[in-house]
Amino acid sequence: MNQDEFDRISSGYVSDPLSSWSLDASCYSDAKFLDIERNQIFHRSWQFFCHAEKLKQPGSYITAQIQGQGIFAVRDHHGQLRAFYNVCKHRGHELLEGEGNRSLIVCPYHAWSYRLDGTLQAARRSEYISNFDREDVCLDAVQIEVFCDLVFVNLDPGAEPLSIQSGGLGAEIRSYAPDIADLKFAHRLTYNIQANWKTVIDNFLECYHCPVAHKDFCTLVDMNSYKVRTHDIYSSHMAKAGMSNNQAYDVANATVTDHAVWYLWPNTALLRYPGRGNFMVWKFIPAGPEQTYEEFDFFYETEQPIEAELEAIRFIDEVLQPEDIGLVESVQRGMRTPGFKQGRYLVDPEQSGMSEHAVHHFHGLVLDAYRKACSA
């Protein structure tokens, strides 16, 4: 991206959301912006990997893709959590698939074997070649961090720890979800959406549309108590829950009575909904300039959700998500037309849930990444 291009797509955006215009529509459909985002955002930010309970045992591992980069995380025999690029140093074959437990990592191509600390243990027939010392061979490490009992990785070796970048987020999460360490993975929902990842996050970050599009949700949450606060790389979205006569799902026996939601830059949502002890992690993964793949993980007190939790999952899957998917796919189609270039943020001074100041905050982070691309 050059300076002229940056000036064009940022024209009208100012620091005051009351006076600002949004991102240019071309940022939501032109493939060149996704290329910039992969390099300047996704390969430099903390990405959710799994709940720490998945990697408790020595030898336990999980693999994932981060915008084209294969990664695996593993607990070594000394109890240290590590992450590496998922590639053999011999000929580039992927080392692991899915998740499981290994005492040794053996490449399925030529059987080079690696210890769980990434060092090479053996390379078949290497005794026949000269100038080869297996002590010089080690898998390339990736930054890994356990944050609020959630595992995150970052492909940028110079990135500041998430616990520092995120300021007060950890304390906020633990104050609302003190049981997060004890929760168990219980369910996953996935979606393929015909919309740019930023379109999806724009929609997530405001509830201005909720009274219009999510009438059942508005009976679950006390919209009068809904407040949104923005911070350096996250925003918090808090409300009290409606405890009776809601049209979403049964919360009659709820022990959690707050709707507590956090957006974490760039593409993760962390949620605590009314009900029994719970936590949810929602990832918005770019699959193309106008495609987003979503993973929505549910963590409960038990691995098998109780009936009230199954009802809550059904509400999200069969009501709330279809409503939002219809909205963002319509917005994405609208972005392609010459009839829309930019919009205004509807912001109120109370920073209520219906204010769009968190969208403005998100767009500022995106523009900061684009600005860095100009000087790269």
Side-chain angles (χ1 to χ4, degrees):
M1 179 183 291
N2 58 38
Q3 190 62 46
D4 288 343
E5 179 77 357
F6 177 78
D7 291 343
R8 180 185 69 80
I9 56 99
S10 63
S11 176
Y13 181 91
V14 295
S15 60
D16 179 7
L18 290 165
S19 305
S20 183
W21 289 79
S22 66
L23 288 177
D24 188 272
S26 62
C27 298
Y28 292 81
S29 57
D30 192 327
K32 68 184 173 188
F33 291 102
L34 182 55
D35 289 339
I36 294 168
E37 290 157 5
R38 284 195 181 103
N39 293 324
Q40 292 294 326
I41 297 177
F42 294 100
H43 292 174
R44 299 172 185 266
S45 59
W46 289 97
Q47 297 288 308
F48 172 71
F49 219 74
C50 65
H51 192 290
E53 56 104 10
K54 282 275 193 181
L55 293 169
K56 277 185 178 179
Q57 302 303 318
S60 56
Y61 71 88
I62 295 182
T63 65
Q65 288 280 328
I66 299 176
Q67 286 301 291
Q69 303 297 315
I71 307 295
F72 72 89
V74 63
R75 180 79 63 180
D76 72 16
H77 294 305
H78 299 289
Q80 184 172 344
L81 195 59
R82 300 177 182 271
F84 302 97
Y85 284 97
N86 188 14
V87 60
C88 181
K89 302 295 283 189
H90 173 219
R91 293 272 296 281
H93 196 283
E94 293 172 319
L95 291 167
L96 296 169
E97 292 183 357
E99 59 185 77
N101 192 287
R102 296 278 182 91
S103 59
L104 195 66
I105 299 164
V106 180
C107 179
Y109 196 7
H110 299 100
W112 281 34
S113 59
Y114 300 85
R115 304 176 187 93
L116 300 185
D117 64 1
T119 57
L120 181 67
Q121 175 164 294
R124 291 171 53 248
R125 302 176 66 81
S126 61
E127 66 271 20
Y128 296 113
I129 62 174
S130 60
N131 302 320
F132 181 85
D133 185 348
R134 69 172 182 268
E135 298 300 322
D136 294 334
V137 181
C138 186
L139 301 178
D140 286 8
V142 171
Q143 280 213 73
I144 188 166
E145 180 176 349
V146 178
F147 176 79
C148 291
D149 295 283
L150 305 173
V151 178
F152 288 80
V153 298
N154 194 319
L155 303 187
D156 180 0
E160 213 175 25
L162 178 57
S163 57
I164 295 176
Q165 283 190 29
S166 61
L169 176 59
E172 278 191 38
I173 290 174
R174 292 200 180 278
S175 69
Y176 282 91
D179 56 352
I180 189 170
D182 301 320
L183 299 178
K184 308 290 190 296
F185 176 77
H187 194 72
R188 171 175 284 179
L189 297 172
T190 61
Y191 305 92
N192 288 293
I193 300 173
Q194 302 306 305
N196 183 273
W197 71 280
K198 299 187 295 299
T199 309
V200 178
I201 290 180
D202 287 352
N203 178 75
F204 175 82
L205 288 173
E206 50 89 358
C207 223
Y208 183 39
H209 70 281
C210 291
V212 180
H214 300 314
K215 297 188 186 303
D216 291 341
F217 174 80
C218 288
T219 67
L220 176 67
V221 172
D222 178 6
M223 293 300 294
N224 292 324
S225 69
Y226 206 134
K227 298 293 182 184
V228 177
R229 300 288 184 264
T230 60
H231 308 273
D232 287 344
I233 64 164
Y234 77 96
S235 56
S236 58
H237 306 247
M238 305 298 182
K240 300 302 292 184
M243 290 301 296
S244 61
N245 300 320
N246 82 77
Q247 298 169 24
Y249 61 88
D250 182 18
V251 294
N253 298 312
T255 55
V256 175
T257 58
D258 290 298
H259 166 84
V261 173
W262 299 269
Y263 159 72
L264 174 62
W265 167 260
N267 62 324
T268 304
L270 308 167
L271 310 93
R272 175 93 157 176
Y273 267 21
R276 197 169 61 145
N278 71 91
F279 205 77
M280 290 163 275
V281 182
W282 193 358
K283 291 197 298 184
F284 311 95
I285 304 167
E290 297 185 285
Q291 291 180 312
T292 300
Y293 172 69
E294 291 186 350
E295 289 182 347
F296 203 151
D297 287 350
F298 295 78
F299 302 91
Y300 291 125
E301 294 177 15
T302 54
E303 291 181 3
Q304 179 59 47
I306 62 175
E307 182 54 41
E309 290 161 350
L310 291 172
E311 186 182 347
I313 292 170
R314 283 193 294 268
F315 169 69
I316 291 171
D317 188 36
E318 298 175 10
V319 179
L320 199 58
Q321 276 291 86
E323 289 170 346
D324 273 331
I325 291 171
L327 294 173
V328 298
E329 290 187 341
S330 175
V331 168
Q332 190 66 38
R333 292 191 295 270
M335 291 278 191
R336 296 190 208 116
T337 73
F340 181 83
K341 183 178 182 292
Q342 288 174 289
R344 290 295 299 272
Y345 304 99
L346 269 294
V347 178
D348 62 54
E350 292 80 24
Q351 296 190 319
S352 75
M354 289 192 287
S355 175
E356 295 181 321
H357 58 285
V359 183
H360 174 268
H361 171 254
F362 168 57
H363 290 176
L365 293 172
V366 172
L367 287 172
D368 283 345
Y370 291 166
R371 187 179 294 109
K372 290 173 184 175
C374 289
S375 56

PDB file of all heavy atoms in Angstrom, residues 8 21 28 65 69 71-72 77 123 128 138 158 193 212-213 239 299 312 357:
ATOM      1  N   ARG A   8      -6.700   7.658   0.547  1.00  0.00           N
ATOM      2  CA  ARG A   8      -8.032   7.477  -0.050  1.00  0.00           C
ATOM      3  C   ARG A   8      -8.948   6.691   0.876  1.00  0.00           C
ATOM      4  O   ARG A   8     -10.085   7.093   1.124  1.00  0.00           O
ATOM      5  CB  ARG A   8      -7.888   6.735  -1.396  1.00  0.00           C
ATOM      6  CG  ARG A   8      -9.238   6.491  -2.089  1.00  0.00           C
ATOM      7  CD  ARG A   8      -9.080   5.647  -3.347  1.00  0.00           C
ATOM      8  NE  ARG A   8      -8.712   4.263  -3.058  1.00  0.00           N
ATOM      9  CZ  ARG A   8      -9.590   3.326  -2.666  1.00  0.00           C
ATOM     10  NH1 ARG A   8     -10.860   3.633  -2.472  1.00  0.00           N
ATOM     11  NH2 ARG A   8      -9.179   2.088  -2.442  1.00  0.00           N
ATOM     12  N   TRP A  21     -16.219   9.526   9.652  1.00  0.00           N
ATOM     13  CA  TRP A  21     -16.776   8.612   8.666  1.00  0.00           C
ATOM     14  C   TRP A  21     -16.052   7.267   8.798  1.00  0.00           C
ATOM     15  O   TRP A  21     -14.920   7.203   9.255  1.00  0.00           O
ATOM     16  CB  TRP A  21     -16.606   9.157   7.250  1.00  0.00           C
ATOM     17  CG  TRP A  21     -17.494  10.329   6.957  1.00  0.00           C
ATOM     18  CD1 TRP A  21     -17.290  11.626   7.331  1.00  0.00           C
ATOM     19  CD2 TRP A  21     -18.727  10.305   6.247  1.00  0.00           C
ATOM     20  NE1 TRP A  21     -18.323  12.418   6.893  1.00  0.00           N
ATOM     21  CE2 TRP A  21     -19.229  11.627   6.218  1.00  0.00           C
ATOM     22  CE3 TRP A  21     -19.465   9.305   5.623  1.00  0.00           C
ATOM     23  CZ2 TRP A  21     -20.411  11.970   5.604  1.00  0.00           C
ATOM     24  CZ3 TRP A  21     -20.658   9.636   5.002  1.00  0.00           C
ATOM     25  CH2 TRP A  21     -21.122  10.954   5.000  1.00  0.00           C
ATOM     26  N   TYR A  28     -13.425  -3.751   2.155  1.00  0.00           N
ATOM     27  CA  TYR A  28     -14.207  -4.932   2.498  1.00  0.00           C
ATOM     28  C   TYR A  28     -14.336  -5.926   1.343  1.00  0.00           C
ATOM     29  O   TYR A  28     -14.923  -6.985   1.530  1.00  0.00           O
ATOM     30  CB  TYR A  28     -15.612  -4.509   2.942  1.00  0.00           C
ATOM     31  CG  TYR A  28     -15.653  -3.764   4.253  1.00  0.00           C
ATOM     32  CD1 TYR A  28     -15.371  -2.398   4.323  1.00  0.00           C
ATOM     33  CD2 TYR A  28     -15.986  -4.411   5.434  1.00  0.00           C
ATOM     34  CE1 TYR A  28     -15.422  -1.712   5.517  1.00  0.00           C
ATOM     35  CE2 TYR A  28     -16.039  -3.734   6.635  1.00  0.00           C
ATOM     36  CZ  TYR A  28     -15.753  -2.383   6.675  1.00  0.00           C
ATOM     37  OH  TYR A  28     -15.799  -1.711   7.873  1.00  0.00           O
ATOM     38  N   GLN A  65      -4.196 -23.686  11.854  1.00  0.00           N
ATOM     39  CA  GLN A  65      -3.712 -22.831  10.782  1.00  0.00           C
ATOM     40  C   GLN A  65      -3.987 -21.377  11.154  1.00  0.00           C
ATOM     41  O   GLN A  65      -5.087 -21.036  11.584  1.00  0.00           O
ATOM     42  CB  GLN A  65      -4.436 -23.145   9.466  1.00  0.00           C
ATOM     43  CG  GLN A  65      -4.050 -24.465   8.832  1.00  0.00           C
ATOM     44  CD  GLN A  65      -2.736 -24.371   8.067  1.00  0.00           C
ATOM     45  OE1 GLN A  65      -2.399 -23.330   7.505  1.00  0.00           O
ATOM     46  NE2 GLN A  65      -1.997 -25.473   8.036  1.00  0.00           N
ATOM     47  N   GLN A  69      -0.394 -20.349   7.846  1.00  0.00           N
ATOM     48  CA  GLN A  69       0.770 -20.832   8.573  1.00  0.00           C
ATOM     49  C   GLN A  69       0.357 -21.960   9.520  1.00  0.00           C
ATOM     50  O   GLN A  69      -0.450 -21.762  10.431  1.00  0.00           O
ATOM     51  CB  GLN A  69       1.418 -19.698   9.379  1.00  0.00           C
ATOM     52  CG  GLN A  69       1.834 -18.499   8.540  1.00  0.00           C
ATOM     53  CD  GLN A  69       2.888 -18.845   7.514  1.00  0.00           C
ATOM     54  OE1 GLN A  69       3.859 -19.539   7.801  1.00  0.00           O
ATOM     55  NE2 GLN A  69       2.706 -18.364   6.297  1.00  0.00           N
ATOM     56  N   ILE A  71       0.708 -24.386  12.589  1.00  0.00           N
ATOM     57  CA  ILE A  71       1.317 -24.266  13.908  1.00  0.00           C
ATOM     58  C   ILE A  71       0.855 -25.451  14.752  1.00  0.00           C
ATOM     59  O   ILE A  71      -0.261 -25.940  14.596  1.00  0.00           O
ATOM     60  CB  ILE A  71       0.867 -22.960  14.615  1.00  0.00           C
ATOM     61  CG1 ILE A  71       1.119 -21.737  13.726  1.00  0.00           C
ATOM     62  CG2 ILE A  71       1.561 -22.795  15.966  1.00  0.00           C
ATOM     63  CD1 ILE A  71       2.565 -21.457  13.439  1.00  0.00           C
ATOM     64  N   PHE A  72       1.699 -25.913  15.670  1.00  0.00           N
ATOM     65  CA  PHE A  72       1.200 -26.816  16.696  1.00  0.00           C
ATOM     66  C   PHE A  72       1.706 -26.377  18.063  1.00  0.00           C
ATOM     67  O   PHE A  72       2.786 -25.792  18.192  1.00  0.00           O
ATOM     68  CB  PHE A  72       1.555 -28.280  16.410  1.00  0.00           C
ATOM     69  CG  PHE A  72       3.002 -28.658  16.603  1.00  0.00           C
ATOM     70  CD1 PHE A  72       3.471 -29.087  17.844  1.00  0.00           C
ATOM     71  CD2 PHE A  72       3.886 -28.636  15.533  1.00  0.00           C
ATOM     72  CE1 PHE A  72       4.792 -29.457  18.014  1.00  0.00           C
ATOM     73  CE2 PHE A  72       5.210 -29.005  15.697  1.00  0.00           C
ATOM     74  CZ  PHE A  72       5.672 -29.404  16.952  1.00  0.00           C
ATOM     75  N   HIS A  77       7.752 -32.799  28.254  1.00  0.00           N
ATOM     76  CA  HIS A  77       7.848 -33.729  29.377  1.00  0.00           C
ATOM     77  C   HIS A  77       8.194 -33.032  30.684  1.00  0.00           C
ATOM     78  O   HIS A  77       8.048 -33.621  31.759  1.00  0.00           O
ATOM     79  CB  HIS A  77       8.873 -34.824  29.074  1.00  0.00           C
ATOM     80  CG  HIS A  77       8.470 -35.732  27.962  1.00  0.00           C
ATOM     81  ND1 HIS A  77       7.280 -36.416  27.956  1.00  0.00           N
ATOM     82  CD2 HIS A  77       9.100 -36.069  26.799  1.00  0.00           C
ATOM     83  CE1 HIS A  77       7.183 -37.137  26.854  1.00  0.00           C
ATOM     84  NE2 HIS A  77       8.264 -36.938  26.128  1.00  0.00           N
ATOM     85  N   ALA A 123      17.728 -38.587  12.640  1.00  0.00           N
ATOM     86  CA  ALA A 123      17.451 -38.431  11.216  1.00  0.00           C
ATOM     87  C   ALA A 123      17.977 -39.679  10.519  1.00  0.00           C
ATOM     88  O   ALA A 123      19.189 -39.912  10.468  1.00  0.00           O
ATOM     89  CB  ALA A 123      18.127 -37.191  10.655  1.00  0.00           C
ATOM     90  N   TYR A 128      25.503 -41.038   6.895  1.00  0.00           N
ATOM     91  CA  TYR A 128      26.214 -41.157   5.619  1.00  0.00           C
ATOM     92  C   TYR A 128      26.570 -39.809   4.992  1.00  0.00           C
ATOM     93  O   TYR A 128      27.281 -39.775   3.989  1.00  0.00           O
ATOM     94  CB  TYR A 128      25.375 -41.971   4.626  1.00  0.00           C
ATOM     95  CG  TYR A 128      25.153 -43.399   5.059  1.00  0.00           C
ATOM     96  CD1 TYR A 128      23.884 -43.839   5.397  1.00  0.00           C
ATOM     97  CD2 TYR A 128      26.210 -44.300   5.150  1.00  0.00           C
ATOM     98  CE1 TYR A 128      23.666 -45.145   5.817  1.00  0.00           C
ATOM     99  CE2 TYR A 128      26.013 -45.600   5.570  1.00  0.00           C
ATOM    100  CZ  TYR A 128      24.732 -46.021   5.906  1.00  0.00           C
ATOM    101  OH  TYR A 128      24.530 -47.310   6.331  1.00  0.00           O
ATOM    102  N   CYS A 138      16.641 -27.721  14.929  1.00  0.00           N
ATOM    103  CA  CYS A 138      15.557 -27.524  15.898  1.00  0.00           C
ATOM    104  C   CYS A 138      14.378 -26.884  15.182  1.00  0.00           C
ATOM    105  O   CYS A 138      14.558 -26.053  14.276  1.00  0.00           O
ATOM    106  CB  CYS A 138      16.017 -26.628  17.043  1.00  0.00           C
ATOM    107  SG  CYS A 138      14.799 -26.452  18.380  1.00  0.00           S
ATOM    108  N   GLY A 158       8.744 -10.748  18.111  1.00  0.00           N
ATOM    109  CA  GLY A 158       8.992  -9.548  18.902  1.00  0.00           C
ATOM    110  C   GLY A 158       7.755  -8.966  19.554  1.00  0.00           C
ATOM    111  O   GLY A 158       7.825  -7.895  20.173  1.00  0.00           O
ATOM    112  N   ILE A 193     -19.532 -17.807   6.133  1.00  0.00           N
ATOM    113  CA  ILE A 193     -20.327 -16.603   5.894  1.00  0.00           C
ATOM    114  C   ILE A 193     -19.788 -15.873   4.672  1.00  0.00           C
ATOM    115  O   ILE A 193     -18.572 -15.710   4.511  1.00  0.00           O
ATOM    116  CB  ILE A 193     -20.282 -15.694   7.135  1.00  0.00           C
ATOM    117  CG1 ILE A 193     -20.850 -16.447   8.352  1.00  0.00           C
ATOM    118  CG2 ILE A 193     -21.062 -14.412   6.900  1.00  0.00           C
ATOM    119  CD1 ILE A 193     -20.692 -15.709   9.649  1.00  0.00           C
ATOM    120  N   VAL A 212     -33.942  -3.879  16.430  1.00  0.00           N
ATOM    121  CA  VAL A 212     -34.555  -4.066  15.115  1.00  0.00           C
ATOM    122  C   VAL A 212     -34.468  -5.529  14.677  1.00  0.00           C
ATOM    123  O   VAL A 212     -35.453  -6.118  14.212  1.00  0.00           O
ATOM    124  CB  VAL A 212     -33.862  -3.173  14.059  1.00  0.00           C
ATOM    125  CG1 VAL A 212     -34.492  -3.370  12.683  1.00  0.00           C
ATOM    126  CG2 VAL A 212     -33.916  -1.715  14.472  1.00  0.00           C
ATOM    127  N   ALA A 213     -33.288  -6.127  14.859  1.00  0.00           N
ATOM    128  CA  ALA A 213     -33.026  -7.448  14.273  1.00  0.00           C
ATOM    129  C   ALA A 213     -33.004  -8.591  15.279  1.00  0.00           C
ATOM    130  O   ALA A 213     -33.106  -9.754  14.885  1.00  0.00           O
ATOM    131  CB  ALA A 213     -31.686  -7.411  13.531  1.00  0.00           C
ATOM    132  N   ALA A 239     -23.848  -5.964  30.275  1.00  0.00           N
ATOM    133  CA  ALA A 239     -25.247  -5.682  30.594  1.00  0.00           C
ATOM    134  C   ALA A 239     -25.721  -6.661  31.651  1.00  0.00           C
ATOM    135  O   ALA A 239     -25.174  -7.761  31.792  1.00  0.00           O
ATOM    136  CB  ALA A 239     -26.130  -5.786  29.348  1.00  0.00           C
ATOM    137  N   PHE A 299     -17.664 -23.595  26.560  1.00  0.00           N
ATOM    138  CA  PHE A 299     -17.050 -24.247  27.711  1.00  0.00           C
ATOM    139  C   PHE A 299     -18.031 -24.180  28.874  1.00  0.00           C
ATOM    140  O   PHE A 299     -18.507 -23.095  29.230  1.00  0.00           O
ATOM    141  CB  PHE A 299     -15.728 -23.561  28.065  1.00  0.00           C
ATOM    142  CG  PHE A 299     -14.740 -23.545  26.931  1.00  0.00           C
ATOM    143  CD1 PHE A 299     -14.694 -22.481  26.037  1.00  0.00           C
ATOM    144  CD2 PHE A 299     -13.871 -24.601  26.732  1.00  0.00           C
ATOM    145  CE1 PHE A 299     -13.798 -22.456  24.981  1.00  0.00           C
ATOM    146  CE2 PHE A 299     -12.962 -24.595  25.672  1.00  0.00           C
ATOM    147  CZ  PHE A 299     -12.928 -23.528  24.803  1.00  0.00           C
ATOM    148  N   ALA A 312     -29.712 -22.923  25.070  1.00  0.00           N
ATOM    149  CA  ALA A 312     -28.962 -21.708  24.758  1.00  0.00           C
ATOM    150  C   ALA A 312     -28.164 -21.864  23.463  1.00  0.00           C
ATOM    151  O   ALA A 312     -28.121 -20.940  22.639  1.00  0.00           O
ATOM    152  CB  ALA A 312     -28.020 -21.371  25.915  1.00  0.00           C
ATOM    153  N   HIS A 357     -19.467   3.468  18.902  1.00  0.00           N
ATOM    154  CA  HIS A 357     -18.092   3.928  19.131  1.00  0.00           C
ATOM    155  C   HIS A 357     -17.080   2.781  19.132  1.00  0.00           C
ATOM    156  O   HIS A 357     -15.910   2.985  18.810  1.00  0.00           O
ATOM    157  CB  HIS A 357     -17.996   4.734  20.436  1.00  0.00           C
ATOM    158  CG  HIS A 357     -18.434   3.994  21.661  1.00  0.00           C
ATOM    159  ND1 HIS A 357     -19.760   3.761  21.951  1.00  0.00           N
ATOM    160  CD2 HIS A 357     -17.724   3.421  22.670  1.00  0.00           C
ATOM    161  CE1 HIS A 357     -19.847   3.086  23.091  1.00  0.00           C
ATOM    162  NE2 HIS A 357     -18.631   2.861  23.538  1.00  0.00           N
TER     163      HIS A 357
END
